[in-house]
Amino acid sequence: MAASSDRNGSADMSGGFEVTKVGGVRIRPLRPDDAMALAQSCFDSFTAFNNSVNIPPHLDFPSVEFTHGVIKHLATVPGMYAVVAEEESSGDLMGAGFMTSGDAYGIGPVWADNAYKGKGAGKAVMIALIAKAKSENAKSIRLNQISANVVSFSLYASLGFLPVECWQELVGCVTEEKSLSASRSVGLQPLTGVHVRKMEDADVKVCNELHVKANGLGRTEEIETAIPAGNSWVLVRNEEIIAYTLGFDLMGHTVAQTEEALVSLFTGVCLQHPDSSPHPTLHLPSKLYPRLLHWALAAKLKVSRSCWLMVIGFYQSPQHDMVYCPGVTL
């Protein structure tokens, strides 16, 4: 791909980033014409790593076409920063990274092209994103890291991130019968008088309040922008929202008032789409919620991998006995 027209880093580019250099790597804002090349690079990078540790590839980016859609979508999300790494001498794309802004800044996905592994592309992208967040006085910068990837863990730790929670990705679609049986086996009382429905614009305020109550930080903008995709759901009891998810998938996070509410929400979403592919995924911090882990295993969900939630700055464990399951960024 052609190099940026500004080789000296003097032009103020879209997204609030300037072209910068880290070693032999040039960092610049993502452009619309980067999307297809980055889709192939991202798909190849994640596929190669997942294959190396026996992680099912559909958990990240199942095809180049799917990845292209994700990148195009992320590039349009309000408050999203997106940068690419170029080799300074050739202008070739070496990798890329995304970061959401808000009360907490969430980094991900980040990757290096397979041809440039170990050449500093991932580090250069991370340095640029961290610097941007700090320049905006971010209270908290967060990411989720696949625990099997010791290289990325070491990189993020060296840049100041600390691991705060380990969570398991549990994959599968439960039936009502399996969910009830699993609940009884671990001592969870199934909720009555609840129903699951798609999230609406009028729900944003209440859902954000649930997030603030659990985590001390808001996510209003992210909740708002996720609704049109159609993957966001709420659990309602007596006209009160007691749990929500932005999707049981790679990007979505989930908040519930109780463990029972989390079970009802996940089960309800599964019942809406019993034959969905890929299957729903639950990102469960198992140390915080051991009974939910036992429920998931009893319901025949499968552990596909473990990940670390890593943070620079503010972090608090979920408060008020609430359940929080992170998305890929935070």
Side-chain angles (χ1 to χ4, degrees):
M1 175 156 303
S4 168
S5 59
D6 187 335
R7 293 183 176 272
N8 296 316
S10 59
D12 188 10
M13 306 294 286
S14 62
F17 275 96
E18 293 186 355
V19 178
T20 59
K21 297 176 184 177
V22 180
V25 181
R26 181 169 50 243
I27 300 296
R28 63 163 174 81
L30 180 145
R31 299 190 298 251
D33 61 345
D34 294 323
M36 195 65 237
L38 288 178
Q40 186 69 59
S41 170
C42 181
F43 171 78
D44 290 344
S45 179
F46 277 86
T47 298
F49 174 76
N50 286 345
N51 287 343
S52 74
V53 294
N54 199 32
I55 293 174
H58 77 260
L59 292 179
D60 294 298
F61 302 102
S63 68
V64 176
E65 292 74 20
F66 180 90
T67 310
H68 185 227
V70 170
I71 290 173
K72 288 180 66 177
H73 168 70
L74 290 177
T76 65
V77 171
M80 178 73 73
Y81 297 109
V83 297
V84 300
E86 294 178 328
E87 188 178 38
E88 186 175 358
S89 59
S90 67
D92 290 342
L93 291 180
M94 302 174 70
F98 294 82
M99 180 175 69
T100 58
S101 58
D103 282 1
Y105 284 56
I107 296 178
V110 174
W111 72 92
D113 188 279
N114 287 337
Y116 290 100
K117 297 288 187 183
K119 303 294 184 181
K123 182 175 183 178
V125 166
M126 289 297 300
I127 288 173
L129 293 175
I130 293 168
K132 179 62 176 176
K134 288 185 174 180
S135 76
E136 297 182 354
N137 299 313
K139 184 178 181 181
S140 182
I141 310 171
R142 305 182 181 188
L143 58 82
N144 280 298
Q145 184 271 341
I146 301 171
S147 59
N149 193 337
V150 295
V151 174
S152 68
F153 182 93
S154 298
L155 170 62
Y156 301 149
S158 73
L159 295 175
F161 286 91
L162 293 176
V164 292
E165 305 288 357
C166 185
W167 53 270
Q168 281 62 53
E169 190 158 72
L170 295 139
V171 181
C173 202
V174 302
T175 64
E176 188 169 16
E177 181 180 1
K178 283 184 178 179
S179 180
L180 288 172
S181 176
S183 293
R184 295 189 185 102
S185 73
V186 300
L188 287 168
Q189 296 299 317
L191 295 182
T192 59
V194 297
H195 68 277
V196 170
R197 62 166 173 81
K198 288 287 185 70
M199 185 184 293
E200 302 169 354
D201 291 339
D203 302 327
V204 171
K205 182 176 184 293
V206 174
C207 291
N208 186 63
E209 288 171 353
L210 284 175
H211 194 283
V212 172
K213 183 178 179 181
N215 296 310
L217 295 171
R219 303 283 284 278
T220 299
E221 193 167 54
E222 184 178 353
I223 295 169
E224 287 176 338
T225 57
I227 292 175
N231 297 322
S232 300
W233 302 82
V234 296
L235 180 72
V236 181
R237 180 177 60 189
N238 298 328
E239 300 185 359
E240 177 191 5
I241 294 173
I242 60 173
Y244 78 88
T245 183
L246 298 194
F248 290 113
D249 52 31
L250 184 68
M251 303 298 291
H253 72 262
T254 302
V255 179
Q257 287 186 354
T258 64
E259 294 182 346
E260 289 84 356
L262 186 281
V263 167
S264 292
L265 178 62
F266 186 82
T267 303
V269 172
C270 287
L271 295 178
Q272 296 284 338
H273 300 287
D275 300 318
S276 63
S277 180
H279 286 315
T281 61
L282 181 63
H283 302 160
L284 188 66
S286 299
K287 182 180 178 181
L288 297 178
Y289 313 113
R291 187 163 57 164
L292 285 176
L293 173 63
H294 294 149
W295 170 85
L297 295 175
K300 305 304 181 184
L301 300 186
K302 294 183 178 180
V303 178
S304 60
R305 61 182 168 188
S306 296
C307 298
W308 282 107
L309 173 60
M310 304 184 74
V311 177
I312 292 175
F314 172 81
Y315 175 76
Q316 69 174 26
S317 293
Q319 305 291 296
H320 308 289
D321 295 322
M322 297 180 70
V323 177
Y324 172 65
C325 301
V328 71
T329 50
L330 66 153

